[in-house]
Amino acid sequence: MVTVRGSSRSTRWCATWKLLPAAALALALLLGPSHPAAAQNPPSGDQGPRFGNWGPGQPPPAAAGPATAPPPGAPAPGALPQAPAPAAPGAPAPAPAPNYWGGCNWDLRGTWTVAGRQDQPSFRIYRSTATVQQYANWLQIDQDDGVSYYGQCNNNNIQLDVYSGGQFIGYQNGSFNYFGGGWNRYNTSRLQFSWDTYVPSYASGNETWSRW
């Protein structure tokens, strides 16, 4: 989430813009959908945080890591799967493990590269990095532009409240879907999001998070 919410954010945007691999990133974002599927869309209007028990300064609602132990002798299920090798395009998708992650299908912990497009109030393309911590199906995410997220992963769907400087500013919803774009042509795993923020004024856009 990188949008203009104040002078410091504007400054960061200018610096980021100069560093963009503009041609590749712009083409990918311009050709992408203007808005993900309706089921992923954030709430309409500022209704306040959705997760009253999970936000800045609050203890995690669950222990760090998975909710249960893997079966004896079995590899830990629910880890973010690797893409099928190019030589085996028909390889079956790894089975998710929702019970292992408290209802979330995947282990999302780690660092993700964020490629985003702000659509309102003006068009902007940006990049950043997000670090995910997972507590069963609860997520805490810190982005390198000062934005943070608190929310949940349920099945393949992710709902996040967005904060800046400890202040609630909006929503971000998205999903990981193995069969519907979870992998791109370069075999990176992907999360796709829509976001809306309301501070200091309304802004909206889309993001794709990737990692190898």
Side-chain angles (χ1 to χ4, degrees), residues 17 19-32 115-117 123 125-127 184-186 208:
W17 175 260
L19 298 175
L20 285 177
L25 181 61
L27 180 61
L29 292 171
L30 283 170
L31 295 179
R117 181 178 73 186
F123 179 81
I125 295 174
Y126 58 87
R127 296 182 71 184
N184 66 14
R185 61 183 296 182
Y186 303 109
T208 297

Side-chain angles (χ1 to χ4, degrees), residues 1 5 7 27 36 40 53 70 147 155 170 174 197 206 210:
M1 175 78 58
R5 304 188 191 103
S7 58
L27 180 61
Q40 300 175 24
N53 62 331
V147 172
N155 300 313
T197 57
N206 301 282
S210 304

Side-chain angles (χ1 to χ4, degrees), residues 33-61:
S34 61
H35 219 282
Q40 300 175 24
N41 290 350
S44 176
D46 184 356
Q47 303 173 27
R50 291 175 288 186
F51 304 99
N53 62 331
W54 186 217
Q58 295 180 292

